[in-house]
Amino acid sequence: MEQALEIERVDLVCGVNNVEHHTELNGVDRLVVRRGQPFTMTLHLRPGTAFKLGASINLIATTGPEPSEVMDTAIKFGLNKFISPARWSATAELKSESAVSLTVCSHPAAPIGLYQLALDQGTGVSLCQFVLLFNPWCKRDSVYMVKEAERQEYVLSQDGLIYRGKPKCISELLWTFGQFEPGILNICLKVLDQSLKHLQDPIQDCSDRRSPVYITRVLSAMINSEDDKGVLVGNWSGNYEHGIRPTAWKDSGSILRQWYNQKCRAVEYGQCWVFAAVACTVSRALGIPCRVVTNYGSAHDTNSNLVIERYYNKFAEDISDDAIWNFHVWVESWMTRPDLQLGYEGWQASDPTPQETSDGVFCCGPVPVRAIKEGDLSAKYDAPFVYAEVNADVVEYAILDDGSTVKIDSSTTEVGQCISTKAVGRDEREDITHLYKYPEGSEEERQVFEKANHQNRLIQNEEEPGLKLKIKVNPSMMVGSDFDVYAQVKNNTDSKKSFRLTFYAQAVTYNGKLGETCGLTVLTGTNLAPAEGVKAVLRLQYSMYGKAIAQEQMVRLVALLIDKETKEFHRATKTIVLDSPSIDILVQIQGDPKVGQPIMVEVMLQNPLPELLENCVFSLQVTITGVGPKELATAELEFTPMVSGRRKLVIDFNSDKLSSIQNFKNLVIEE
């Protein structure tokens, strides 16, 4: 049995690591790193403790109040020869008889937050604590930005310009975001911990923090205080007697510190630009590229018909519920959208100002800006509301003495003008209206409006009377893990309803052939009051679905609902495609490739599944024996280059459970 490592002290080398991870502005007194990028520490061993290269040493990284391997909040990994950019990994190098250099790299899609790193030696030996952030510098991270100038502007810049006023008289407000000021990062993490999502289910919430889509939606709800322990109270009354008037704020740090110091009690008061600026600060602090956007002539569509209806009484007073704000300010965050179709990556609009509820909470977004431009109101989240803000039509009516109305005017150009944000690297305004809409009055703009109007009518008709049944799934469902899916029932009647719900899962192939049942739950004897809803949870366990699914990794969910009183039958189905684990084949070339001379290639792949992989084959027909859970499949392949120049060496891996995994190595083959 190998001797356990006894650690005397750990040097986290924060001065070096934080600089390499672009977090040195947070200070160098603690380790703050970005995911998918290695960091190095030095372990100083106690006298008499020896470290041998190749020793079986395991590490465990944990985050959240109840770390779980199933939820990816407790990750165990060992020492490897090489750092993998696609998973948690570590390497070690002996610096002296009593010092070991340990390099660790996190998964590029790991949940962000406060982590503990320990040696897993039967009893955990704590090594360090570190904060893990999103990484716009990492190509595998979902917030990756290509241009360094944009990363400097949207992640690292601590001040900016916010635009207010009117289209013909645009004014600038210089705002200090201050995301790197002392204590602000801790406060931003506290904001996440005070959200309803975290308070209701901290285990799931900490796991979901891998997704910038999820984080952005949480922040949209938490910056206002309508439903939770949010940061700011909105006030548009003009009476700010018990707080600070919104126009007095010039920085986010003062607001966040006041919220934190008064034990998470909401700060009084904010309006749209204040909400947006604080959301931008928290997003940048967590590593999500973010910018503040102003929309002039911003519509607030209260009845979701994409038309702003203005009603005037006989005194010419506007008595409408709908409104058009002179300007309205929200934020855009940069990220991919794996939950939506290709083309919807990039800037996502979200609005922390409390206007309307979304899923029962005052929040809005994130919704792809591209979806708004194309009038795709089916895109998550809250596309109809944001579309109306920038592209609603305006119709004006006069109310006659007998109560009837007559149309007096209409406009298709009043809403959504001069949409503005600060330019990259310059203190100038950039007009981004073209990102949200086609030119006013153009044929494309009218076509998009008609498309959006048609989709909106379909959306509005979803809430018809009766029992409503929907299937909801998580954005990330990965092969090898256990996860939950949901059947939601809502009573859209004015009387109590009793029903029986059967919710099950079956394996299915791409051509519709059904396989084994791999999950079942039943609700019976449930009574719902009018407008009340209930959620049935079906736990899909890998031990069940893993042996049932085909290589397409598809599962069909079916929910059957019977109204016990009327005997009406409702059915909902959804076919899901499970995500493959992030897998990378490590490729090492031994020597310099030359034409006509054999060369050896060492390849390795770690089994991400909690079971044995059998019939493993790398390309070039090299067969590997079974690979156990978390073990490495390795092989040496030999090939002989026949042509000089730049070439790609492609390695392919197949097994009984995982197939078509590829990686490549760029080669320069000499004569």
Side-chain angles (χ1 to χ4, degrees):
M1 183 175 178
E2 293 181 351
Q3 179 187 5
L5 281 183
E6 295 185 19
I7 310 299
E8 185 174 81
R9 64 183 177 89
V10 179
D11 183 0
L12 298 180
V13 203
C14 298
V16 175
N17 285 317
N18 290 9
V19 169
E20 292 180 348
H21 285 251
H22 305 92
T23 61
E24 72 276 12
L25 293 175
N26 286 298
V28 293
D29 56 332
R30 65 169 174 171
L31 188 59
V32 181
V33 296
R34 301 188 186 273
R35 61 187 193 174
Q37 183 175 338
F39 58 93
T40 299
M41 65 189 74
T42 301
L43 310 182
H44 294 275
L45 308 180
R46 288 179 179 172
T49 299
F51 173 80
K52 296 180 181 180
L53 291 177
S56 178
I57 294 175
N58 294 313
L59 302 167
I60 180 168
T62 58
T63 186
E66 297 182 45
S68 163
E69 287 190 77
V70 172
M71 305 301 287
D72 287 333
T73 50
I75 307 93
K76 294 182 180 180
F77 55 103
L79 297 181
N80 300 314
K81 291 183 179 180
F82 312 103
I83 287 292
S84 170
R87 55 182 168 81
W88 285 89
S89 60
T91 62
E93 179 183 356
L94 191 62
K95 306 297 288 185
S96 68
E97 291 185 358
S98 62
V100 178
S101 177
L102 179 67
T103 299
V104 177
C105 186
S106 63
H107 194 296
I112 66 160
L114 182 63
Y115 275 79
Q116 308 288 335
L117 183 66
L119 287 174
D120 187 21
Q121 300 183 141
T123 58
V125 178
S126 178
L127 293 180
C128 71
Q129 187 180 82
F130 63 93
V131 177
L132 187 67
L133 304 178
F134 291 105
N135 193 353
W137 285 265
C138 175
K139 291 182 178 180
R140 294 174 180 264
D141 197 304
S142 51
V143 301
Y144 172 67
M145 296 194 94
V146 175
K147 297 181 180 179
E148 177 62 22
E150 292 182 345
R151 295 191 289 250
Q152 292 289 328
E153 180 69 46
Y154 300 133
V155 182
L156 300 183
S157 179
Q158 296 198 76
D159 55 60
L161 298 173
I162 300 175
Y163 297 96
R164 299 183 295 176
K166 298 180 179 181
K168 293 184 178 179
C169 186
I170 295 175
S171 62
E172 297 178 348
L173 172 65
L174 180 62
W175 191 274
T176 301
F177 297 113
Q179 66 268 31
F180 298 114
E181 292 176 3
I184 293 299
L185 179 55
N186 284 346
I187 297 173
C188 294
L189 295 174
K190 184 72 171 181
V191 170
L192 298 182
D193 288 344
Q194 291 299 308
S195 73
L196 286 178
K197 296 282 191 182
H198 186 79
L199 297 177
Q200 292 169 354
D201 191 345
I203 299 174
Q204 184 65 55
D205 171 71
C206 287
S207 178
D208 288 340
R209 291 181 186 181
R210 74 190 71 199
S211 166
V213 177
Y214 176 82
I215 292 288
T216 299
R217 190 155 175 81
V218 168
L219 293 182
S220 175
M222 273 302 295
I223 301 304
N224 71 75
S225 61
E226 289 296 317
D227 315 284
D228 42 40
K229 298 181 179 180
V231 176
L232 277 162
V233 177
N235 188 340
W236 289 264
S237 69
N239 180 7
Y240 311 116
E241 181 179 355
H242 299 292
I244 297 175
R245 68 184 189 278
T247 53
W249 300 111
K250 297 297 184 293
D251 71 293
S252 302
S254 298
I255 297 169
L256 289 168
R257 276 188 285 269
Q258 183 174 329
W259 173 80
Y260 183 80
N261 291 336
Q262 59 192 25
K263 298 182 179 179
C264 307
R265 182 168 56 85
V267 176
E268 299 172 328
Y269 296 102
Q271 290 183 6
C272 65
W273 69 91
V274 186
F275 287 111
V278 175
C280 184
T281 293
V282 180
S283 297
R284 290 184 181 182
L286 299 178
I288 302 174
C290 190
R291 65 186 185 184
V292 177
V293 171
T294 302
N295 176 40
Y296 292 92
S298 189
H300 183 171
D301 182 16
T302 57
N303 60 0
S304 303
N305 66 351
L306 307 188
V307 176
I308 301 303
E309 296 154 317
R310 283 175 162 170
Y311 294 92
Y312 299 94
N313 62 20
K314 63 181 180 180
F315 302 107
E317 297 172 330
D318 189 342
I319 57 172
S320 314
D321 291 327
D322 289 345
I324 300 178
W325 297 17
N326 287 335
F327 68 90
H328 183 50
V329 186
W330 58 74
V331 293
E332 290 177 359
S333 303
W334 182 271
M335 65 192 72
T336 60
R337 290 301 298 265
D339 55 328
L340 299 176
Q341 67 188 55
L342 289 176
Y344 282 169
E345 61 278 357
W347 289 116
Q348 315 288 316
S350 64
D351 191 351
T353 299
Q355 296 184 81
E356 300 290 335
T357 59
S358 173
D359 293 335
V361 177
F362 277 97
C363 66
C364 180
V367 59
V369 172
R370 181 68 185 181
I372 300 304
K373 182 172 183 177
E374 299 302 332
D376 184 358
L377 303 195
S378 67
K380 297 185 291 187
Y381 292 90
D382 309 305
F385 186 81
V386 178
Y387 178 87
E389 286 185 302
V390 300
N391 214 9
D393 284 354
V394 180
V395 181
E396 297 182 335
Y397 299 92
I399 302 176
L400 305 181
D401 290 339
D402 61 2
S404 62
T405 60
V406 59
K407 181 179 177 180
I408 57 176
D409 198 7
S410 64
S411 171
T412 62
T413 61
E414 184 176 350
V415 169
Q417 302 179 44
C418 302
I419 303 175
S420 304
T421 191
K422 179 186 174 298
V424 174
R426 309 190 315 275
D427 290 333
E428 298 176 7
R429 184 180 73 89
E430 180 182 356
D431 193 305
I432 58 172
T433 308
H434 63 285
L435 299 181
Y436 279 86
K437 57 199 296 189
Y438 289 97
E440 290 286 6
S442 66
E443 182 178 349
E444 296 92 338
E445 188 266 340
R446 284 294 89 190
Q447 288 175 348
V448 166
F449 183 84
E450 292 303 321
K451 170 186 173 182
N453 203 25
H454 173 70
Q455 286 192 2
N456 195 54
R457 286 195 294 269
L458 296 178
I459 293 171
Q460 295 305 309
N461 289 334
E462 285 183 356
E463 292 295 321
E464 295 175 350
L467 283 173
K468 288 300 167 186
L469 176 63
K470 291 183 179 180
I471 294 175
K472 298 287 187 179
V473 299
N474 288 315
S476 177
M477 296 170 290
M478 188 169 294
V479 171
S481 64
D482 299 342
F483 55 87
D484 294 331
V485 293
Y486 311 92
Q488 294 181 338
V489 183
K490 185 178 180 183
N491 181 8
N492 286 341
T493 72
D494 55 3
S495 61
K496 183 183 293 185
K497 285 289 185 180
S498 178
F499 63 90
R500 175 186 173 89
L501 173 68
T502 302
F503 187 28
Y504 64 92
Q506 267 183 293
V508 64
T509 61
Y510 78 96
N511 59 358
K513 184 178 179 180
L514 295 174
E516 298 177 13
T517 299
C518 50
L520 170 68
T521 187
V522 177
L523 282 184
T524 186
T526 303
N527 294 309
L528 287 183
E532 188 179 10
V534 68
K535 180 169 66 174
V537 181
L538 175 58
R539 185 72 170 173
L540 293 184
Q541 298 178 316
Y542 181 70
S543 60
M544 293 289 291
Y545 72 77
K547 58 189 178 185
I549 59 174
Q551 286 196 346
E552 296 93 346
Q553 300 178 177
M554 299 172 67
V555 175
R556 184 173 178 82
L557 305 175
V558 180
L560 303 174
L561 178 71
I562 300 178
D563 187 324
K564 289 189 174 181
E565 180 183 359
T566 66
K567 305 304 180 184
E568 289 180 343
F569 180 86
H570 304 269
R571 182 172 182 266
T573 64
K574 183 185 287 286
T575 299
I576 58 177
V577 180
L578 305 181
D579 297 329
S580 295
S582 295
I583 308 168
D584 199 14
I585 301 174
L586 299 181
V587 183
Q588 293 292 323
I589 306 295
Q590 299 177 8
D592 297 325
K594 295 183 179 180
V595 173
Q597 296 184 13
I599 190 168
M600 298 301 296
V601 181
E602 183 181 15
V603 294
M604 63 178 63
L605 174 146
Q606 186 179 46
N607 176 11
L609 300 182
E611 63 176 335
L612 183 72
L613 288 183
E614 296 181 320
N615 303 316
C616 303
V617 179
F618 282 107
S619 58
L620 302 184
Q621 303 303 313
V622 177
T623 303
I624 313 299
T625 58
V627 182
K630 307 302 181 182
E631 290 185 357
L632 286 176
T634 62
E636 286 191 341
L637 315 180
E638 182 181 291
F639 79 104
T640 302
M642 302 306 296
V643 181
S644 63
R646 295 183 180 275
R647 295 289 184 270
K648 274 189 171 65
L649 175 65
V650 179
I651 307 296
D652 187 85
F653 176 84
N654 289 277
S655 69
D656 59 334
K657 296 289 184 180
L658 299 172
S659 62
S660 300
I661 300 167
Q662 292 186 325
N663 198 0
F664 66 88
K665 192 80 170 180
N666 289 314
L667 302 179
V668 178
I669 300 172
E670 301 174 356
E671 288 287 357

